Amino acid sequence: MKLNPFKPAGQAANDASPGHEPAMRVLDKAPRVQRRGFLRGSGLGAIGVVVLPAAPALSKEAARALTADQSFTHLGKHAGRTLVRMARDIYPHDKLPDKFYVQAEAPYDGLAKKDAALKKLLVEGLQDLDQRARKQHGTPYLQVKAESDRVALLRGIESTPFFKKIQGDLVTGLYNNKELWPLFGYEGSSWQKGGYLHRGFDDLDWL
Amino acid sequence: MTDQAKFSLDDDSVAVIIGSGAGGATLANELAQRGIKSVVLEAGKHYTQADFENDEWAMFNKISWLDKRISAGGWHHTQTYPNLPAWIVKGVGGSTVHWSGVALRFQEHDFHTRTTYGAVDGANVLDWPITLSELEPYYELAEKKMGVCGTKASGLPPMPPNNHYKVIEAGAKKVGYKNIVRPAASNSEPYDGRPGCMQLGFCMQGCKIGAKWSTLYTEVPRAQATGNMELRPECMVLQIEHDKSGRATGVLYVDGKGRKQLQKARIVCVAGNSIESPRLLLNSASSLFPNGLANSSGQVGRNYMNHATAAAVAIHKKPVYMYRGFDIAAVVADEVPLDTRRGFVGGYYLEGLAIHLPYTAAFMKPGGWGRDFASAMEMYDHMTCVWVCGEDLAREQNSITLHPTEKDQYGLPVPIVTKTYHENDDRITAHGLQQWRKLSEAVGATRVIDMPAYPASHNMGTNRMSEKAADGVVNRWGQTHDVKNLFVSDGSQFTSSSAANPTLTIVALAIRQAEYIASAMQRKEL
Ligand SMILES: Cc1cc2nc3c(=O)[nH]c(=O)nc-3n(C[C@H](O)[C@H](O)[C@H](O)COP(=O)(O)OP(=O)(O)OC[C@H]3O[C@@H](n4cnc5c(N)ncnc54)[C@H](O)[C@@H]3O)c2cc1C
Ligand code: SF4
């Protein structure tokens, strides 16, 4: 039985009505993101990126590229796409729409505008990655088809400051994005809902 | 705060207390209740519960001590947390704002480890000058004051078991453990004017409703209300001053407006946590005390301990939602009694400690990435999490020292925190992780992931207690051997770390110290 995960406090989600066993309040972790929705992702607005209205009848691929493209006016489309591809290869969550990865990487564009050292780190790091990809596979990183090949390339640069910067920032850029928390079964702030006292702090039913 | 007492800078009748955390604020309130006047200087801001957010990183960034510190030595923190060796709060209430409330007493042998263990190679183990029976009445008072639920002293019932507790307890029982506890300094029902726990699950981010004990909303306002204590937040102490006879006379600090001030004092009590307290003494060197104040033994800043610790998550077949409810789950106490057959001295607790999704991502495998990592994160809602809290042996070379050239924003030398684990520490954590794996698999866990230690939250030992002046920094009352009117009132007094979390003992010692100070003042010894 699926239960509404967001019943208000006090209204126990697990009320044992006659004939029903009380059940654990289980969250649905399936993504419910519409394409249009993620093109206009509020998080993008929040970090100061202008989001254009979605062009009609875009393929999924094109839509994904578009979001990355629009977010990287300073570093450029290729850099943006590569960073987003990298982010997905570093923390591959197949169910997460691209917008979360874009949101995590997009701030670099604005930051690089103001911070020359950061810009150098990113530009040179991406160049190095592409160079390695060309040498091994004859294409830039973005076009390397197999995930395993891309991951091998990343393993090769794992100890560089560039990779460490991207990976380190992603830990918060991605997993601290409140929008994706429900997809991991995490509910976030609870005091305004009266905590978990009436929302399943002790409803474990499988032991 | 408006109606608190105000003391003038040249009032040399006041006790000056540095730090408003577990040790400092407890001492201030105990003194205030006895009519003794004090000025509490606190480096951090005065946040209130209204500022608390149920958000791990937001609160971390708001209240943590983020002034630069350097990690050195052989521990992994030099790689993973190079400028964040320790996790401490900079703010009124000190680390009792962040703390999760595990309140455990030391055992008898913890006070005489040198006698019990003998000389341990590569360690600097020493007996405390006090015994458990001397401290017991103060443990009682501390449990009552802090409202440690499930104790006789508070009369509060134990915290109800949450999902996370249930899984760990079931596993523990399956592997034969019997002593499963949940010692929490949080209100299982309304107590002492504060509400009962609503199972928010953000105890470590500052309890929004104030169910958990924190000096921020207990000791500090109560001391202020007596009219005997003045709290000065955003006042960072730079140096303790003394006269020609070697008596402490006052402290130099920078106030919130960046002005240097000198507050005179009758006595000075240092309670800045185990990194800042020795740093301050070392930085107060003078021609009379060339190696730092109260440092004739050379032990100031030495014997830095922070518990032999590691952590792990277990992934179960069904959901757990460990973050729902009080953040401490079952605490297994069966491995605490001394038993050298396991290949180490000392013991450890297996403490169920829930971390939320953002911290799990940061701490599960610092620097880790790839499908292996991501697939574990997708099972966040199925996780249980343990923190191994074991005895850490004192080693002289584990230390707080001052950087020779690098200075912080106050112009103080940046502290270097050097730590290398003793073989004994490594054996404790390895044993703990192995037992946790067994326990988790006993209830069907499909994957157990060992995690490295978190930045140190239990900091101890850098101004340790000793019978003889040559072996440590303070005597049985936390009074420095060298300077009669200078006290140490925080966890840096600890001679051994025990396996128990430190705060209950810090509070018990502070209550006892206040009693001593009050009677010594009466006897005109201070
Ligand atoms: C996340 C977390 C969880 C924890 N959980 C537990 C637990 O479950 N159980 C437990 O027993 N312990 C726990 N602890 C540890 C506990 O919080 C500390 O042991 C305890 O608070 C230490 O008390 P203290 O008085 O030594 O220092 P603190 O409480 O840290 O107080 C020191 C204060 O001094 C101030 N200060 C420092 N230097 C100066 C200066 N020069 N001038 C002015 N002010 C200064 C600081 O800003 C700070 O406010 C936890 C800690 C953390 C961070
Ligand atoms: S679980 Fe209880 S103690 Fe922890 S934050 Fe919530 S109310 Fe406070």
Side-chain angles (χ1 to χ4, degrees), chain A residues 52-67:
Chain A
L52 303 170
L58 275 179
S59 75
K60 256 200 176 139
E61 276 309 303
R64 191 178 295 146
L66 180 71
T67 13

Side-chain angles (χ1 to χ4, degrees), chain A residues 24-29 88-96 147 150-152 154-155 158 163-164 167 171-172 175-178 180-181 183-207, chain B residues 52-58 79 160-164 166-167 170 182 197-202 208-209 316-321 323-326 356-358 361-363 365-371 373-375 377-382 443:
Chain A
M24 199 169 174
R25 184 169 66 89
V26 180
L27 300 184
D28 183 1
K29 297 199 282 179
R88 199 179 257 294
D89 290 336
I90 292 173
Y91 293 122
H93 294 289
D94 300 325
K95 67 179 170 187
L96 288 192
E147 180 182 321
R150 291 194 306 273
V151 167
L154 293 180
R155 289 276 168 221
E158 202 175 19
F163 182 87
K164 284 189 174 167
Q167 181 268 331
V171 173
T172 45
Y175 298 108
N176 203 37
N177 186 338
K178 290 185 172 60
L180 67 66
W181 288 350
L183 303 182
F184 287 79
Y186 174 57
E187 294 159 278
S189 182
S190 89
W191 69 271
Q192 70 282 33
K193 296 178 189 157
Y196 292 100
L197 190 59
H198 306 291
R199 295 187 309 128
F201 84 101
D202 62 349
D203 63 352
L204 194 97
D205 60 0
W206 54 263
L207 273 172
Chain B
F52 290 172
E53 295 170 62
N54 279 192
D55 183 318
E56 288 182 315
W57 286 121
Q79 301 301 315
N162 64 344
N163 291 343
H164 195 202
K166 289 176 185 175
V167 180
R182 203 184 190 197
C197 173
M198 295 289 290
Q199 307 290 339
L200 306 186
F202 287 89
K208 184 87 182 157
I209 64 169
H316 293 271
K317 292 190 198 103
K318 298 259 179 77
V320 180
Y321 302 109
Y323 60 86
R324 287 184 190 163
F326 186 67
H356 292 242
L357 182 98
F363 295 128
K365 201 171 184 295
W369 60 279
R371 283 216 173 256
F373 181 95
S375 65
M377 286 304 296
E378 293 195 358
M379 300 303 284
Y380 172 73
D381 54 346
H382 287 51
V443 276

